[in-house]
Amino acid sequence: MKFFADTAEIADIKDLAATGLLDGVTTNPSLIAKSGRDFMEVTKEICDIVDGPVSAEVVALDHETMMKEAEVLRKIADNVCIKVPLTIDGLKTCKALTSDGTMVNVTLCFSATQALLAAKAGATFVSPFVGRHDDNGVDGMDLIRDIRLIYDNYAFATEILVASVRHVTHVLESARIGADVMTAPPAVIKNLVKHVLTDKGIEGFMADWAKTGQSIL
Ligand code: E4P
């Protein structure tokens, strides 16, 4: 499973990229606003740090303007992935851009039938939002199960990019289901490494090693 960071914070992206475990980045207008940075400038910086896809979202709601915005965004770098909303205009834009070889992430997916449309539009990625479903009393992971089943039924190449990930269990379930990608805030990605028994184990090994009086270097 690929790991994307869901952020526009350069320091966090550099930090995760240094581990060699980061496969891409997703941003959205809210994350750009939170960063306080210029959209074009920060997207370029992210694309320079990460080799994999960097999602940059259009803000127009009509197909024609989406296409014009996508034209500007895809010039930022070769690894820019144009993010479009799951609307008729977004799907139309997805079809046009992917036919041209551009990567497209269809976002704000909340149903399996929406995901089916995204695949038919040739989306590179579809982003189902699990956390926002959970917030509304629906198990977001059921959506991922449905999409996996449908995509496998028809061998769709669109990758399931689990979004709105809020905790480690979302990541675990995504991997169990066989989602292709998950995008999570840096704090969630860092939490994946944590285990109290790992910390306790290190503590014990260090204490015993000190008793030997030896050193490796
Ligand atoms: C995905 O691409 C979105 O940027 C993101 O995952 C949304 O997450 P949220 O529901 O926590 O805002």
Side-chain angles (χ1 to χ4, degrees):
M1 184 167 64
K2 285 177 251 182
F3 280 16
F4 290 0
D6 199 25
T7 184
E9 302 299 327
I10 295 294
D12 286 335
I13 294 167
K14 279 190 178 160
D15 204 25
L16 288 169
T19 65
L21 300 172
L22 190 64
D23 302 297
V25 170
T26 50
T27 66
N28 63 37
S30 305
L31 292 171
I32 297 295
K34 195 173 160 199
S35 77
R37 297 282 313 273
D38 174 80
F39 182 27
M40 303 296 286
E41 202 179 89
V42 77
T43 306
K44 171 79 182 120
E45 268 183 56
I46 298 170
C47 289
D48 287 344
I49 300 166
V50 181
D51 291 334
V54 174
S55 290
E57 190 159 343
V58 297
V59 287
L61 298 177
D62 66 285
H63 169 65
E64 270 184 23
T65 321
M66 279 182 191
M67 288 300 289
K68 285 182 191 153
E69 289 182 352
E71 201 45 48
V72 174
L73 296 176
R74 68 178 171 183
K75 280 189 190 130
I76 296 175
D78 289 344
N79 55 333
V80 163
C81 174
I82 307 297
K83 210 175 182 188
V84 299
L86 214 157
T87 59
I88 288 291
D89 287 77
L91 292 170
K92 209 168 149 186
T93 304
C94 173
K95 185 78 185 169
L97 291 172
T98 51
S99 305
D100 210 15
T102 301
M103 286 189 288
V104 176
N105 176 358
V106 179
T107 190
L108 289 167
C109 172
F110 290 93
S111 79
T113 44
Q114 286 182 320
L116 179 57
L117 291 173
K120 283 178 70 64
T124 317
F125 304 103
V126 66
S127 290
F129 280 36
V130 294
R132 293 193 195 187
H133 257 315
D134 291 356
D135 293 345
N136 282 283
V138 174
D139 185 353
M141 297 317 299
D142 283 344
L143 174 59
I144 308 304
R145 280 184 202 93
D146 281 348
I147 301 174
R148 180 75 284 157
L149 177 74
I150 292 167
Y151 280 14
D152 288 350
N153 280 348
Y154 298 99
F156 281 126
T158 299
E159 295 190 34
I160 303 172
L161 196 174
V162 182
S164 190
V165 164
R166 303 272 165 80
H167 45 72
V168 167
T169 311
H170 277 151
V171 182
L172 174 64
E173 279 300 301
S174 300
R176 280 186 175 142
I177 295 165
D180 304 283
V181 193
M182 73 87 200
T183 189
V188 173
I189 299 178
K190 286 179 185 165
N191 274 343
L192 291 169
V193 80
K194 291 184 189 161
H195 198 289
V196 64
L197 293 181
T198 304
D199 295 342
K200 207 174 158 196
I202 290 174
E203 206 179 296
F205 287 159
M206 291 306 102
D208 290 339
W209 179 248
K211 288 179 206 156
T212 71
Q214 299 177 48
S215 75
I216 296 173
L217 298 176

